[in-house]
Amino acid sequence: MSLLLGILSLAMLLLVAGTIFLRAEPASLARTATLAGPIAVGLMGVVFLLVGRAGFGGMLLSAAFAWYSAGRMRASKKKTPGKRSTVRTAALEMELDHDSGVLEGMVLAGRHEQKMLSTMSLKELKELYADLSGDQESRQLLETYLDGRFPVWREDADTHGGDGHGIPPGSGAMTKEEAYKILGLETGATAADIRKAHRRLMQRLHPDLGGTSFLAARINEAKDVLLTNHH
């Protein structure tokens, strides 16, 4: 009788699992298989324990735990770095990590060419800022970096002018390639992906939330450039 009850309970669990499987979308199944599979096997193990089949039930519980552990290990190995956005001007290239909000940049022109901003001292960054007097876009981008790394840098900086060293002005209208990089998307992303990336970045970088107006403007422009192609 106990064995029959266990078999009936197992059949019910399989029926429920089968119904969920047929109704679920493939993407959803892929996301939940690591958790749902071990839970189902574990429940079967509990059922057999309750009907007096401790040996078989214990074996199922052990299998469920091993399955869950293996799935977690595979997921951790497949984990990819967070998305990144790239903003490029005539003299700077800046990269934003979406998850951490950390900015890193490289100098593309001038006496500090090829230097990473994170390796430069405040004195060198102020020199670079003065060199960019003729390139407003690059200056605004550098201001964004300085505000995050050295919040008090403006106290004794000349934010209105400078002698300059002949670095060319901004690059003009944004291309689709640039727009994809700014939003951290692959070429051919859907309109839904574009809106989602724009919303996520604006939640982090909007001026009202402690972000900067320059980056917010670039993010808005990138969205407009890409969505125009979807109309």
Side-chain angles (χ1 to χ4, degrees):
M1 185 65 180
S2 297
L3 180 59
L4 179 60
L5 179 60
I7 294 174
L8 288 175
S9 299
L10 180 58
M12 288 298 295
L13 284 172
L14 291 175
L15 179 61
V16 172
T19 302
I20 295 174
F21 182 89
L22 291 174
R23 293 182 179 180
E25 297 178 354
S28 177
L29 286 173
R31 288 193 298 268
T32 60
T34 300
L35 183 60
I39 288 177
V41 174
L43 288 174
M44 294 177 194
V46 171
V47 169
F48 276 96
L49 286 175
L50 292 175
V51 299
R53 301 295 296 274
F56 192 62
M59 183 178 67
L60 287 176
L61 288 174
S62 297
F65 180 79
W67 186 358
Y68 177 76
S69 299
R72 290 293 297 272
M73 186 176 296
R74 285 195 300 271
S76 63
K77 288 181 179 180
K78 292 180 180 180
K79 188 175 180 181
T80 56
K83 290 186 177 181
R84 296 174 181 269
S85 294
T86 302
V87 179
R88 186 185 179 103
T89 64
L92 293 173
E93 182 173 281
M94 202 80 75
E95 190 175 77
L96 170 72
D97 185 281
H98 289 199
D99 295 328
S100 66
V102 173
L103 278 170
E104 177 59 287
M106 183 174 70
V107 184
L108 302 178
R111 52 177 158 167
H112 295 291
E113 186 175 354
Q114 297 303 308
K115 283 188 178 181
M116 302 300 294
L117 297 185
S118 60
T119 66
M120 298 173 66
S121 65
L122 178 57
K123 179 182 177 181
E124 290 175 320
L125 290 168
K126 286 183 177 180
E127 289 175 354
L128 174 61
Y129 186 78
D131 293 349
L132 297 173
S133 60
D135 182 352
Q136 191 62 22
E137 279 194 346
S138 297
R139 252 201 172 196
Q140 289 178 307
L141 192 56
L142 183 57
E143 286 176 359
T144 300
Y145 178 82
L146 284 166
D147 286 341
R149 185 176 166 193
F150 300 105
V152 298
W153 74 276
R154 295 176 184 267
E155 291 183 359
D156 58 349
D158 176 12
T159 58
H160 300 290
D163 295 334
H165 283 256
I167 293 176
S171 56
M174 182 183 296
T175 66
K176 290 179 181 177
E177 181 181 1
E178 290 171 331
Y180 280 120
K181 289 182 178 180
I182 288 173
L183 294 181
L185 296 172
E186 297 292 333
T187 302
T190 66
D193 289 336
I194 293 168
R195 292 189 177 93
K196 182 178 179 181
H198 171 265
R199 183 169 57 254
R200 180 176 62 247
L201 287 169
M202 289 301 289
Q203 286 173 346
R204 178 176 289 278
L205 297 172
H206 194 281
D208 293 342
L209 301 175
T212 65
S213 57
F214 175 73
L215 283 181
R218 297 287 283 183
I219 292 166
N220 282 330
E221 184 180 358
K223 183 196 72 170
D224 292 341
V225 168
L226 296 180
L227 287 183
T228 298
N229 192 45
H230 287 270
H231 292 332

